[in-house]
Amino acid sequence: MNRRNFFSGAATAVAAASVSRVALAALPEPATQSSADTAPPLHPPTGRPYNPVVTLNGWTAPWRMNAGVKEFHLVAEPVVREVAPGFMVNMWGYNGQSPGPTIEVVEGDRVRIFVTNRLPEHTTIHWHGQRLPNGMDGVGGLTQPAIQPGKTFVYEFVARRPGTFMYHPHADEMVQMAMGMMGLWITHPNVGKGATHPHIAKVQRDYAFLLNAFDVEPGSMTPKVNTMLDHNIWCWNSRVFPAISPLVARQGERVRIRVGNLTMTNHPIHLHGHEFEVTGTDGGPVPKSARWPEVTTDVAVGQMRQIELIADEPGDWALHCHKSHHTMGAMGHSVPTMIGVDHRGLVGKIQKIVPDYMVMGERGMADMGAMEMPLPDNTFPMMTGTGPFGPLEMGGMFTTLKVRADQPAGSYADPGDFKQPSGNQAYEWQGAAANTPRPVRTDTPGTAPGAASARKPATGTHQH
């Protein structure tokens, strides 16, 4: 959904609030998103007021009010997601995209969600983290029969506590989550006009995204669903750097960042240049007396975390997973280490067979950031992205927090590269070269100070 369609979707929700009883007795019209761009926040046209979130490279589902109930319609279906420019992946998702739309409600709202299954197999939806009637928990075979292809089920419950939640299937879960079926659910606090929640501060920017991962062979389009940990595409909301939108803030604003993890491993999320506090977990808001400053917070599998900071340092600040393999693009994990390998005389021989062959890795992998190697079809580089000073050599779970003194309030437009103030940037030393002789190697076995020694049996006497 582009901006125009986004607002037309919101308008549909507004219009639906005043349609006839006959129309209200029918299924709500499902909104569909066709773009992987970040949609503007959806300010509530009906229902209780709240300050909406901005879902990175995602969108919020419009709704209709029906006799005081907030109604949504999710359609589980095959989709094609643009993970990076020109890199398309066959996924399963909701309403045209993976992840599905963010659902935003207010504490105390009664919510009715229609779920239509257009997948080739059955499914359900589990409302991860919600307190709700057991029969609405969405575990196929345990709390409900599975939703068969072509059928529509209805979930209905009251959003009982504020926080950051997720939704995903609980039917053929390994396959359906490996194919991208997931979404965010935000329950805003119900506070009166001018009042504040004791543990939930008002913020000027409220961002949200999911961590997810895929294993897609270069040249193919469909993820390998049996991979558990050795993924090669590490995403935020099914996008990779540099295709992930930056977070922007006006200097001095309070910023909330909500993160949910539906990969199969943990992710230490690290922010440069600012301290933050974890203000919310899976269990709800964290009391102020239980918070402490951090620059990295680990988000385990199935967890949600809310962090908050005052964006008071202008600049372009990196925000990323601190597992370095997760900030790379598509890569093979069985590539041998080539550091220190002497390629002299080898390249010419190989290029007789493979004309495009280039030396990689004998001095580290940084050269790949500037290389323009031919890539297989439908993949993206292992290292990519360019800043004002050259290649960033990043990929995967990486983006930036852009803080500007002149960023207009409420504007999410990318302000471009930060202009470094004079005297506040690292620079090259112009004096005499550093005298840094290499230390004498002490890695010969048994010669390093304090090295252990062992007595080996004589040749021919070993019985094993």
Side-chain angles (χ1 to χ4, degrees):
M1 180 186 290
N2 56 33
R3 177 185 290 263
R4 182 188 60 190
N5 292 337
F6 177 86
F7 284 115
S8 67
T12 300
V14 174
S18 59
V19 296
S20 68
R21 284 188 178 183
V22 174
L24 287 173
L27 282 169
E29 185 72 19
T32 298
Q33 172 69 283
S34 60
S35 168
D37 294 337
T38 298
L42 177 57
H43 293 274
T46 57
R48 297 185 175 98
Y50 61 82
N51 185 36
V53 302
V54 170
T55 305
L56 286 190
N57 300 103
W59 57 301
T60 289
W63 65 87
R64 75 176 183 188
M65 296 300 296
N66 187 353
V69 180
K70 191 172 279 188
E71 292 185 335
F72 298 87
H73 190 175
L74 295 178
V75 178
E77 58 188 352
V79 303
V80 177
R81 175 73 167 180
E82 185 186 49
V83 175
F87 175 39
M88 313 299 283
V89 176
N90 294 326
M91 296 186 185
W92 291 354
Y94 302 95
N95 300 47
Q97 289 293 326
S98 165
T102 298
I103 292 175
E104 291 188 76
V105 301
V106 177
E107 176 186 10
D109 277 354
R110 187 164 194 84
V111 184
R112 184 178 298 131
I113 310 107
F114 300 84
V115 178
T116 297
N117 183 10
R118 290 182 183 159
L119 298 173
E121 66 168 0
H122 67 231
T123 189
T124 67
I125 293 190
H126 165 58
W127 312 100
H128 188 113
Q130 301 281 354
R131 280 183 173 264
L132 37 58
N134 184 240
M136 296 292 170
D137 198 37
V139 181
L142 178 65
T143 62
Q144 67 166 88
I147 309 171
Q148 297 300 322
K151 300 297 184 181
T152 297
F153 268 48
V154 182
Y155 297 87
E156 183 168 338
F157 53 90
V158 174
R160 293 163 59 180
R161 61 188 181 91
T164 304
F165 307 101
M166 303 182 284
Y167 63 87
H168 60 80
H170 230 298
D172 196 11
E173 188 172 332
M174 182 193 78
V175 169
Q176 296 191 9
M177 291 178 66
M179 290 293 288
M181 297 191 70
M182 56 192 69
L184 278 163
W185 176 302
I186 310 297
T187 301
H188 297 278
N190 183 15
V191 292
K193 187 175 182 180
T196 57
H197 190 283
H199 305 309
I200 303 176
K202 290 186 176 179
V203 297
Q204 285 71 53
R205 311 268 175 168
D206 198 340
Y207 292 98
F209 59 90
L210 283 172
L211 310 172
N212 54 358
F214 303 92
D215 186 8
V216 183
E217 288 281 352
S220 69
M221 287 186 65
T222 303
K224 296 159 68 176
V225 297
N226 292 322
T227 300
M228 179 177 178
L229 294 173
D230 206 11
H231 298 88
N232 61 355
I233 313 293
W234 298 96
C235 301
W236 289 357
N237 271 9
S238 302
R239 292 279 277 186
V240 295
F241 176 79
I244 300 173
S245 298
L247 291 72
V248 299
R250 184 185 180 95
Q251 187 177 7
E253 287 184 329
R254 188 176 184 87
V255 179
R256 178 181 295 134
I257 304 173
R258 306 169 187 257
V259 185
N261 181 6
L262 287 176
T263 72
M264 296 297 110
T265 187
N266 64 307
H267 298 279
I269 301 300
H270 175 54
L271 174 63
H272 293 206
H274 294 79
E275 307 85 34
F276 59 74
E277 292 180 338
V278 175
T279 59
T281 70
D282 313 59
V286 177
K288 293 179 180 177
S289 59
R291 303 174 187 173
W292 61 85
E294 294 196 83
V295 296
T296 303
T297 188
D298 196 36
V299 188
V301 180
Q303 282 189 330
M304 296 82 78
R305 287 289 179 270
Q306 292 176 188
I307 66 174
E308 290 178 27
L309 62 130
I310 303 298
D312 53 3
E313 296 287 350
D316 290 347
W317 302 103
L319 174 65
H320 60 95
C321 174
H322 218 289
K323 287 185 173 179
S324 54
H325 285 58
H326 297 177
T327 53
M328 293 287 107
M331 58 184 289
H333 299 280
S334 58
V335 176
T337 298
M338 303 299 287
I339 293 176
V341 175
D342 188 351
H343 285 74
R344 285 176 297 184
L346 179 63
V347 176
K349 295 177 182 177
I350 295 179
Q351 285 181 339
K352 291 179 180 176
I353 305 170
V354 185
D356 294 332
Y357 177 79
M358 302 169 73
V359 174
M360 292 188 301
E362 65 177 350
R363 296 171 298 178
M365 303 298 279
D367 287 349
M368 294 188 68
M371 280 183 173
E372 295 183 358
M373 283 181 63
L375 289 172
D377 292 337
N378 204 47
T379 188
F380 67 106
M382 177 177 142
M383 294 179 177
T384 186
T386 303
F389 305 103
L392 269 71
E393 301 160 1
M394 285 285 154
M397 295 175 162
F398 180 95
T399 189
T400 51
L401 170 65
K402 298 192 171 190
V403 182
R404 301 287 189 275
D406 57 354
Q407 184 75 12
S411 170
Y412 292 87
D414 186 344
D417 295 327
F418 182 64
K419 293 180 174 54
Q420 305 291 342
S422 177
N424 285 285
Q425 185 178 16
Y427 57 93
E428 182 179 358
W429 170 249
Q430 299 296 327
N435 181 18
T436 56
R438 293 187 62 182
V440 177
R441 294 188 67 160
T442 57
D443 53 354
T444 302
T447 61
S453 61
R455 182 179 63 82
K456 296 181 179 180
T459 303
T461 62
H462 198 340
Q463 300 300 313
H464 300 288

